[in-house]
Amino acid sequence: MNTNNKIKVPRKKGKSLFNRFVAWLHLWPSIVAGIILVVVSLSGTIIVYCDEIMDWMAGEAKYVNVPQNLQRVSSEVLKANFSKSNPGYDISEFVFFKDPKRSIRIRAFNPKGPKLAMVYADPYTGKILKKDESLQFFFVMAHFHASFLAGKTGGWIVALATIVFVISTITGLILWWPKKWNKTTRQASFTIKWKARFKRFNYDLHNVYGFYSLIVCFILGTTGLIIFFEPLMETTVKLTNGTTEHMMDTLPKMDSTKIAKDIIPFAYHILDKSEEKEVSIWNFERKKLGAYIFTSGKVGLKSIEHASINVYDSYTGKEINIDKKYLQHEKTENIVWQLHMGQWWGQLGKLSTFLAGIIATSLPITGFLIWWGRRKKKSPQKKKEIKNNHKHRAEAHHEQIT
């Protein structure tokens, strides 16, 4: 027997334990949460341009004829006209515009519905110009995005899926990162082979587009978690030198023995002295506070670009100075919502968020197809490997006994 010529069977170098764990963490939680993530991402993507769509839906009702004297009606006349033309509805928000040709935008809701609408009114005559109910669609989409319209239970399901999504962005970057940087790996990591076979094309869609959208997807996921988990929001506020107490808790309360001043002169006074073109006030706050809180900036459904707050005593008309820590609280919450809604960099921010939303919707699908394709060919491949190993061992054994 010849013992000097042993044949060693070559062994393929396996992945490290860390890489195997990262691959597992990227794959299996995403497989489980895949359908949820598709629905959440798609509904969130639909919401991104809600402000622009509703602005377009307003049509001619956005503009009015401007009289020479520029005399505006009072908010009491405006509310009376609103109630008459929209029975059962209440006002949640007024938005006033710097442009004298712009109508007043009223966000309305029906407590028994619930139904939402945008109502447009002439600031000079008080006439109700249009009631647009497209807001209801975006309201449903927003709650579907946040909780599948299933209350707290749905909210927790979405939150857990979002945690998986955030983890998958981190693990995806680790898996995407090439072991060596050269021309071939750069081309494979940053470009898509559009003419490749479906499996390679699908892999490129997942790998390349996943990388390009990674930062925005990570921001969308983390801000979503901050919004859902109140302790995270409080921590974020504290880290930005804000207080967890709300500004409204420090303001004067409503006094039914006093007569509040009209809000409309305040709104247009703020617009006249400010560079911002829009100012908003929430109507429900007026019903419990003895102060008016105006926020100027570009007013969206959930956040305001370049937000600036002015507060007035509703009975004396004097401006109330607010401590910076309370203003920082409001600013931080608004920034979190801006980042989540894509309102953080004008139209470029919205476009980035919209494209990232489309990619995020596709990632669970392309990822599943990659896994399914490998799963189908795994069994024959293993059989071939076992057969080859048996062959090598047989040859080695034959060599040894001869």
Side-chain angles (χ1 to χ4, degrees), residues 111-164:
K112 297 180 180 179
K115 289 185 178 180
L116 300 176
M118 286 295 192
V119 178
Y120 298 87
D122 190 318
Y124 307 106
T125 66
K127 180 183 177 181
I128 301 303
L129 304 172
K130 184 175 183 177
K131 177 182 176 183
D132 175 27
E133 296 183 337
S134 62
L135 174 60
Q136 179 65 22
F137 170 76
F138 292 109
F139 172 82
V140 173
M141 281 293 103
H143 283 265
F144 200 71
H145 173 74
S147 64
F148 289 122
L149 299 174
K152 290 184 178 180
T153 302
W156 273 101
I157 292 172
V158 172
L160 292 173
T162 305
I163 292 172
V164 171

Short mmCIF file of all heavy atoms in Angstrom, two decimals, residues 111-164:
data_model
loop_
_atom_site.label_atom_id
_atom_site.label_comp_id
_atom_site.label_asym_id
_atom_site.label_seq_id
_atom_site.Cartn_x
_atom_site.Cartn_y
_atom_site.Cartn_z
N PRO A 111 -67.38 64.48 11.76
CA PRO A 111 -67.14 63.61 12.91
C PRO A 111 -67.91 62.29 12.86
O PRO A 111 -67.47 61.30 13.43
CB PRO A 111 -67.62 64.45 14.11
CG PRO A 111 -67.60 65.86 13.62
CD PRO A 111 -67.92 65.78 12.15
N LYS A 112 -69.04 62.28 12.15
CA LYS A 112 -69.85 61.06 12.08
C LYS A 112 -69.43 60.16 10.94
O LYS A 112 -69.90 59.03 10.86
CB LYS A 112 -71.33 61.45 11.93
CG LYS A 112 -71.89 62.23 13.11
CD LYS A 112 -73.34 62.57 12.89
CE LYS A 112 -73.91 63.35 14.08
NZ LYS A 112 -75.33 63.73 13.87
N GLY A 113 -68.57 60.67 10.04
CA GLY A 113 -68.18 59.92 8.83
C GLY A 113 -67.29 58.72 9.10
O GLY A 113 -67.76 57.60 9.10
N PRO A 114 -66.01 58.84 9.39
CA PRO A 114 -65.37 60.16 9.22
C PRO A 114 -65.05 60.43 7.76
O PRO A 114 -64.62 59.54 7.05
CB PRO A 114 -64.09 60.02 10.04
CG PRO A 114 -63.77 58.58 9.96
CD PRO A 114 -65.07 57.83 9.84
N LYS A 115 -65.33 61.64 7.32
CA LYS A 115 -65.03 62.05 5.96
C LYS A 115 -64.24 63.35 6.01
O LYS A 115 -64.51 64.21 6.83
CB LYS A 115 -66.30 62.23 5.14
CG LYS A 115 -67.01 60.93 4.79
CD LYS A 115 -68.19 61.17 3.87
CE LYS A 115 -68.86 59.87 3.48
NZ LYS A 115 -70.02 60.10 2.58
N LEU A 116 -63.26 63.46 5.11
CA LEU A 116 -62.41 64.64 5.06
C LEU A 116 -62.56 65.34 3.71
O LEU A 116 -62.84 64.69 2.70
CB LEU A 116 -60.95 64.26 5.28
CG LEU A 116 -60.61 63.57 6.60
CD1 LEU A 116 -59.15 63.18 6.61
CD2 LEU A 116 -60.92 64.48 7.77
N ALA A 117 -62.33 66.64 3.71
CA ALA A 117 -62.42 67.40 2.47
C ALA A 117 -61.62 68.68 2.59
O ALA A 117 -61.36 69.16 3.69
CB ALA A 117 -63.88 67.73 2.15
N MET A 118 -61.22 69.20 1.43
CA MET A 118 -60.63 70.53 1.35
C MET A 118 -61.70 71.46 0.79
O MET A 118 -62.28 71.18 -0.27
CB MET A 118 -59.40 70.55 0.45
CG MET A 118 -58.17 69.91 1.05
SD MET A 118 -57.56 70.80 2.50
CE MET A 118 -55.96 69.99 2.70
N VAL A 119 -61.96 72.54 1.50
CA VAL A 119 -62.97 73.51 1.09
C VAL A 119 -62.26 74.83 0.80
O VAL A 119 -61.41 75.27 1.58
CB VAL A 119 -64.03 73.70 2.19
CG1 VAL A 119 -65.06 74.74 1.77
CG2 VAL A 119 -64.72 72.37 2.49
N TYR A 120 -62.63 75.46 -0.31
CA TYR A 120 -61.99 76.70 -0.73
C TYR A 120 -63.00 77.85 -0.65
O TYR A 120 -64.14 77.72 -1.12
CB TYR A 120 -61.43 76.56 -2.15
CG TYR A 120 -60.38 75.48 -2.23
CD1 TYR A 120 -60.74 74.15 -2.45
CD2 TYR A 120 -59.03 75.77 -2.03
CE1 TYR A 120 -59.78 73.15 -2.48
CE2 TYR A 120 -58.07 74.77 -2.08
CZ TYR A 120 -58.45 73.46 -2.29
OH TYR A 120 -57.51 72.46 -2.32
N ALA A 121 -62.56 78.96 -0.05
CA ALA A 121 -63.46 80.08 0.19
C ALA A 121 -62.84 81.39 -0.28
O ALA A 121 -61.63 81.58 -0.20
CB ALA A 121 -63.81 80.17 1.67
N ASP A 122 -63.69 82.29 -0.76
CA ASP A 122 -63.25 83.62 -1.19
C ASP A 122 -62.98 84.47 0.05
O ASP A 122 -63.89 84.67 0.86
CB ASP A 122 -64.34 84.26 -2.05
CG ASP A 122 -63.87 85.53 -2.75
OD1 ASP A 122 -63.16 86.35 -2.10
OD2 ASP A 122 -64.22 85.73 -3.92
N PRO A 123 -61.75 84.98 0.23
CA PRO A 123 -61.45 85.77 1.43
C PRO A 123 -62.14 87.13 1.47
O PRO A 123 -62.21 87.75 2.52
CB PRO A 123 -59.93 85.93 1.37
CG PRO A 123 -59.58 85.80 -0.07
CD PRO A 123 -60.58 84.84 -0.65
N TYR A 124 -62.67 87.60 0.33
CA TYR A 124 -63.26 88.92 0.26
C TYR A 124 -64.79 88.89 0.37
O TYR A 124 -65.40 89.86 0.83
CB TYR A 124 -62.85 89.61 -1.05
CG TYR A 124 -61.35 89.62 -1.24
CD1 TYR A 124 -60.73 88.78 -2.16
CD2 TYR A 124 -60.54 90.45 -0.47
CE1 TYR A 124 -59.35 88.77 -2.33
CE2 TYR A 124 -59.16 90.45 -0.63
CZ TYR A 124 -58.57 89.60 -1.55
OH TYR A 124 -57.21 89.59 -1.70
N THR A 125 -65.40 87.79 -0.06
CA THR A 125 -66.86 87.67 0.02
C THR A 125 -67.31 86.60 1.00
O THR A 125 -68.47 86.60 1.41
CB THR A 125 -67.44 87.34 -1.38
OG1 THR A 125 -66.99 86.02 -1.77
CG2 THR A 125 -67.00 88.37 -2.41
N GLY A 126 -66.41 85.68 1.32
CA GLY A 126 -66.78 84.57 2.19
C GLY A 126 -67.49 83.45 1.46
O GLY A 126 -67.89 82.44 2.08
N LYS A 127 -67.64 83.57 0.16
CA LYS A 127 -68.35 82.57 -0.62
C LYS A 127 -67.54 81.26 -0.69
O LYS A 127 -66.33 81.29 -0.87
CB LYS A 127 -68.58 83.09 -2.04
CG LYS A 127 -69.32 82.11 -2.95
CD LYS A 127 -69.46 82.67 -4.36
CE LYS A 127 -70.13 81.66 -5.29
NZ LYS A 127 -70.27 82.18 -6.67
N ILE A 128 -68.24 80.14 -0.50
CA ILE A 128 -67.59 78.83 -0.61
C ILE A 128 -67.50 78.47 -2.09
O ILE A 128 -68.52 78.41 -2.80
CB ILE A 128 -68.38 77.75 0.16
CG1 ILE A 128 -68.50 78.14 1.64
CG2 ILE A 128 -67.70 76.40 0.01
CD1 ILE A 128 -67.19 78.37 2.36
N LEU A 129 -66.29 78.25 -2.57
CA LEU A 129 -66.04 78.05 -4.00
C LEU A 129 -66.05 76.58 -4.42
O LEU A 129 -66.53 76.25 -5.50
CB LEU A 129 -64.68 78.67 -4.37
CG LEU A 129 -64.51 80.14 -4.03
CD1 LEU A 129 -63.07 80.57 -4.27
CD2 LEU A 129 -65.48 80.99 -4.83
N LYS A 130 -65.52 75.73 -3.56
CA LYS A 130 -65.43 74.31 -3.94
C LYS A 130 -65.20 73.44 -2.71
O LYS A 130 -64.55 73.87 -1.75
CB LYS A 130 -64.29 74.10 -4.94
CG LYS A 130 -64.18 72.68 -5.47
CD LYS A 130 -63.10 72.56 -6.54
CE LYS A 130 -63.05 71.15 -7.11
NZ LYS A 130 -62.06 71.03 -8.20
N LYS A 131 -65.72 72.24 -2.80
CA LYS A 131 -65.45 71.22 -1.78
C LYS A 131 -64.81 70.03 -2.49
O LYS A 131 -65.44 69.38 -3.34
CB LYS A 131 -66.75 70.80 -1.10
CG LYS A 131 -66.59 69.69 -0.07
CD LYS A 131 -67.95 69.32 0.50
CE LYS A 131 -67.88 68.15 1.45
NZ LYS A 131 -69.22 67.75 1.94
N ASP A 132 -63.56 69.74 -2.16
CA ASP A 132 -62.81 68.66 -2.81
C ASP A 132 -62.60 67.53 -1.82
O ASP A 132 -61.94 67.72 -0.80
CB ASP A 132 -61.47 69.20 -3.32
CG ASP A 132 -60.59 68.10 -3.90
OD1 ASP A 132 -61.15 67.09 -4.38
OD2 ASP A 132 -59.37 68.24 -3.85
N GLU A 133 -63.14 66.36 -2.12
CA GLU A 133 -63.08 65.22 -1.20
C GLU A 133 -61.93 64.26 -1.50
O GLU A 133 -61.89 63.17 -0.95
CB GLU A 133 -64.40 64.47 -1.20
CG GLU A 133 -65.56 65.32 -0.67
CD GLU A 133 -66.87 64.55 -0.61
OE1 GLU A 133 -67.00 63.56 -1.35
OE2 GLU A 133 -67.76 64.95 0.17
N SER A 134 -60.99 64.66 -2.37
CA SER A 134 -59.84 63.79 -2.66
C SER A 134 -58.97 63.59 -1.42
O SER A 134 -58.21 62.62 -1.32
CB SER A 134 -59.01 64.36 -3.81
OG SER A 134 -58.48 65.63 -3.47
N LEU A 135 -59.08 64.50 -0.46
CA LEU A 135 -58.34 64.37 0.80
C LEU A 135 -58.68 63.06 1.50
O LEU A 135 -57.83 62.46 2.15
CB LEU A 135 -58.66 65.56 1.71
CG LEU A 135 -58.08 65.54 3.13
CD1 LEU A 135 -56.57 65.49 3.10
CD2 LEU A 135 -58.55 66.76 3.91
N GLN A 136 -59.93 62.61 1.35
CA GLN A 136 -60.36 61.37 2.01
C GLN A 136 -59.52 60.18 1.54
O GLN A 136 -59.17 59.31 2.34
CB GLN A 136 -61.84 61.11 1.73
CG GLN A 136 -62.41 59.84 2.32
CD GLN A 136 -62.40 59.84 3.84
OE1 GLN A 136 -62.36 60.90 4.46
NE2 GLN A 136 -62.46 58.67 4.44
N PHE A 137 -59.21 60.14 0.25
CA PHE A 137 -58.40 59.05 -0.30
C PHE A 137 -57.02 59.01 0.36
O PHE A 137 -56.54 57.95 0.78
CB PHE A 137 -58.25 59.21 -1.81
CG PHE A 137 -57.24 58.28 -2.42
CD1 PHE A 137 -57.52 56.94 -2.62
CD2 PHE A 137 -55.98 58.76 -2.78
CE1 PHE A 137 -56.57 56.08 -3.16
CE2 PHE A 137 -55.04 57.92 -3.34
CZ PHE A 137 -55.33 56.58 -3.52
N PHE A 138 -56.39 60.17 0.49
CA PHE A 138 -55.06 60.22 1.09
C PHE A 138 -55.11 59.95 2.59
O PHE A 138 -54.16 59.41 3.15
CB PHE A 138 -54.41 61.57 0.79
CG PHE A 138 -54.06 61.76 -0.65
CD1 PHE A 138 -54.77 62.65 -1.44
CD2 PHE A 138 -53.06 61.02 -1.24
CE1 PHE A 138 -54.46 62.82 -2.77
CE2 PHE A 138 -52.74 61.17 -2.58
CZ PHE A 138 -53.45 62.07 -3.35
N PHE A 139 -56.22 60.32 3.21
CA PHE A 139 -56.41 59.99 4.63
C PHE A 139 -56.43 58.47 4.81
O PHE A 139 -55.77 57.92 5.71
CB PHE A 139 -57.71 60.60 5.14
CG PHE A 139 -58.11 60.17 6.52
CD1 PHE A 139 -57.55 60.77 7.64
CD2 PHE A 139 -59.04 59.16 6.71
CE1 PHE A 139 -57.91 60.38 8.92
CE2 PHE A 139 -59.41 58.75 7.98
CZ PHE A 139 -58.84 59.36 9.09
N VAL A 140 -57.18 57.79 3.95
CA VAL A 140 -57.25 56.32 4.02
C VAL A 140 -55.88 55.71 3.75
O VAL A 140 -55.44 54.79 4.45
CB VAL A 140 -58.30 55.78 3.03
CG1 VAL A 140 -58.26 54.25 2.97
CG2 VAL A 140 -59.70 56.24 3.43
N MET A 141 -55.18 56.22 2.73
CA MET A 141 -53.86 55.71 2.39
C MET A 141 -52.88 55.90 3.55
O MET A 141 -52.08 55.02 3.85
CB MET A 141 -53.32 56.41 1.14
CG MET A 141 -53.87 55.92 -0.17
SD MET A 141 -53.37 54.22 -0.56
CE MET A 141 -54.88 53.34 -0.15
N ALA A 142 -52.96 57.06 4.20
CA ALA A 142 -52.05 57.36 5.31
C ALA A 142 -52.28 56.39 6.47
O ALA A 142 -51.32 55.89 7.07
CB ALA A 142 -52.25 58.80 5.78
N HIS A 143 -53.53 56.11 6.79
CA HIS A 143 -53.82 55.19 7.89
C HIS A 143 -53.57 53.73 7.48
O HIS A 143 -53.23 52.91 8.33
CB HIS A 143 -55.26 55.38 8.36
CG HIS A 143 -55.43 56.59 9.22
ND1 HIS A 143 -55.38 56.54 10.60
CD2 HIS A 143 -55.58 57.91 8.91
CE1 HIS A 143 -55.54 57.75 11.09
NE2 HIS A 143 -55.65 58.60 10.08
N PHE A 144 -53.74 53.44 6.21
CA PHE A 144 -53.37 52.11 5.72
C PHE A 144 -51.86 51.92 5.81
O PHE A 144 -51.37 50.84 6.19
CB PHE A 144 -53.84 51.96 4.27
CG PHE A 144 -53.96 50.53 3.82
CD1 PHE A 144 -54.97 49.73 4.30
CD2 PHE A 144 -53.06 50.00 2.91
CE1 PHE A 144 -55.08 48.41 3.89
CE2 PHE A 144 -53.16 48.68 2.50
CZ PHE A 144 -54.17 47.88 2.99
N HIS A 145 -51.13 52.98 5.50
CA HIS A 145 -49.67 52.97 5.58
C HIS A 145 -49.19 52.80 7.02
O HIS A 145 -48.22 52.09 7.28
CB HIS A 145 -49.14 54.28 5.00
CG HIS A 145 -47.67 54.48 5.16
ND1 HIS A 145 -46.73 53.81 4.42
CD2 HIS A 145 -46.97 55.31 5.99
CE1 HIS A 145 -45.52 54.19 4.79
NE2 HIS A 145 -45.63 55.09 5.73
N ALA A 146 -49.90 53.43 7.95
CA ALA A 146 -49.47 53.43 9.35
C ALA A 146 -49.95 52.23 10.14
O ALA A 146 -49.27 51.78 11.07
CB ALA A 146 -49.94 54.71 10.03
N SER A 147 -51.13 51.69 9.77
CA SER A 147 -51.70 50.63 10.64
C SER A 147 -52.61 49.64 9.93
O SER A 147 -53.30 48.87 10.59
CB SER A 147 -52.48 51.29 11.78
OG SER A 147 -53.58 52.01 11.25
N PHE A 148 -52.64 49.66 8.60
CA PHE A 148 -53.57 48.80 7.85
C PHE A 148 -55.02 49.04 8.25
O PHE A 148 -55.86 48.14 8.15
CB PHE A 148 -53.23 47.31 8.04
CG PHE A 148 -51.97 46.88 7.37
CD1 PHE A 148 -50.95 46.31 8.09
CD2 PHE A 148 -51.79 47.05 6.01
CE1 PHE A 148 -49.77 45.92 7.48
CE2 PHE A 148 -50.63 46.66 5.39
CZ PHE A 148 -49.61 46.09 6.12
N LEU A 149 -55.31 50.23 8.77
CA LEU A 149 -56.66 50.59 9.26
C LEU A 149 -57.11 49.63 10.36
O LEU A 149 -58.29 49.37 10.53
CB LEU A 149 -57.67 50.57 8.10
CG LEU A 149 -57.40 51.54 6.95
CD1 LEU A 149 -58.39 51.31 5.81
CD2 LEU A 149 -57.49 52.98 7.42
N ALA A 150 -56.16 49.11 11.12
CA ALA A 150 -56.46 48.12 12.17
C ALA A 150 -56.05 48.61 13.55
O ALA A 150 -55.73 47.80 14.43
CB ALA A 150 -55.78 46.80 11.85
N GLY A 151 -56.03 49.93 13.76
CA GLY A 151 -55.76 50.48 15.08
C GLY A 151 -54.38 50.16 15.60
O GLY A 151 -53.41 50.06 14.84
N LYS A 152 -54.28 49.97 16.92
CA LYS A 152 -53.00 49.72 17.56
C LYS A 152 -52.35 48.42 17.11
O LYS A 152 -51.14 48.35 16.93
CB LYS A 152 -53.17 49.72 19.08
CG LYS A 152 -53.47 51.09 19.67
CD LYS A 152 -53.53 51.03 21.20
CE LYS A 152 -53.78 52.42 21.78
NZ LYS A 152 -53.85 52.39 23.27
N THR A 153 -53.18 47.39 16.93
CA THR A 153 -52.64 46.10 16.48
C THR A 153 -51.97 46.25 15.13
O THR A 153 -50.85 45.78 14.91
CB THR A 153 -53.76 45.05 16.39
OG1 THR A 153 -54.38 44.91 17.68
CG2 THR A 153 -53.20 43.69 15.96
N GLY A 154 -52.66 46.91 14.20
CA GLY A 154 -52.08 47.16 12.88
C GLY A 154 -50.84 48.02 12.95
O GLY A 154 -49.88 47.80 12.21
N GLY A 155 -50.86 49.00 13.88
CA GLY A 155 -49.69 49.86 14.05
C GLY A 155 -48.47 49.07 14.49
O GLY A 155 -47.35 49.32 14.01
N TRP A 156 -48.67 48.13 15.39
CA TRP A 156 -47.55 47.30 15.85
C TRP A 156 -47.04 46.38 14.74
O TRP A 156 -45.83 46.15 14.62
CB TRP A 156 -47.97 46.48 17.07
CG TRP A 156 -47.80 47.23 18.35
CD1 TRP A 156 -48.74 47.86 19.08
CD2 TRP A 156 -46.55 47.44 19.03
NE1 TRP A 156 -48.20 48.47 20.18
CE2 TRP A 156 -46.84 48.21 20.19
CE3 TRP A 156 -45.23 47.05 18.80
CZ2 TRP A 156 -45.86 48.61 21.09
CZ3 TRP A 156 -44.25 47.45 19.69
CH2 TRP A 156 -44.56 48.21 20.81
N ILE A 157 -47.94 45.87 13.93
CA ILE A 157 -47.52 45.01 12.81
C ILE A 157 -46.64 45.80 11.85
O ILE A 157 -45.57 45.34 11.42
CB ILE A 157 -48.75 44.44 12.07
CG1 ILE A 157 -49.49 43.44 12.97
CG2 ILE A 157 -48.34 43.77 10.76
CD1 ILE A 157 -50.82 42.98 12.41
N VAL A 158 -47.08 47.02 11.53
CA VAL A 158 -46.30 47.89 10.63
C VAL A 158 -44.97 48.26 11.27
O VAL A 158 -43.93 48.28 10.60
CB VAL A 158 -47.11 49.15 10.27
CG1 VAL A 158 -46.23 50.14 9.51
CG2 VAL A 158 -48.32 48.79 9.43
N ALA A 159 -44.99 48.55 12.58
CA ALA A 159 -43.75 48.95 13.27
C ALA A 159 -42.73 47.82 13.26
O ALA A 159 -41.54 48.04 13.00
CB ALA A 159 -44.07 49.35 14.71
N LEU A 160 -43.17 46.59 13.53
CA LEU A 160 -42.26 45.44 13.52
C LEU A 160 -41.69 45.20 12.12
O LEU A 160 -40.50 44.91 11.95
CB LEU A 160 -42.98 44.19 14.03
CG LEU A 160 -43.36 44.21 15.52
CD1 LEU A 160 -44.23 42.99 15.87
CD2 LEU A 160 -42.12 44.24 16.40
N ALA A 161 -42.55 45.34 11.11
CA ALA A 161 -42.09 45.19 9.73
C ALA A 161 -41.09 46.30 9.38
O ALA A 161 -40.12 46.07 8.65
CB ALA A 161 -43.27 45.22 8.77
N THR A 162 -41.32 47.49 9.91
CA THR A 162 -40.41 48.61 9.66
C THR A 162 -39.05 48.38 10.30
O THR A 162 -38.01 48.74 9.73
CB THR A 162 -41.02 49.93 10.18
OG1 THR A 162 -42.31 50.12 9.60
CG2 THR A 162 -40.14 51.12 9.82
N ILE A 163 -39.05 47.77 11.49
CA ILE A 163 -37.77 47.40 12.13
C ILE A 163 -37.00 46.44 11.24
O ILE A 163 -35.78 46.59 11.04
CB ILE A 163 -38.03 46.78 13.52
CG1 ILE A 163 -38.59 47.85 14.48
CG2 ILE A 163 -36.75 46.18 14.09
CD1 ILE A 163 -39.06 47.29 15.80
N VAL A 164 -37.70 45.47 10.67
CA VAL A 164 -37.08 44.53 9.74
C VAL A 164 -36.52 45.28 8.54
O VAL A 164 -35.40 45.01 8.07
CB VAL A 164 -38.11 43.47 9.27
CG1 VAL A 164 -37.55 42.63 8.12
CG2 VAL A 164 -38.51 42.57 10.43
#
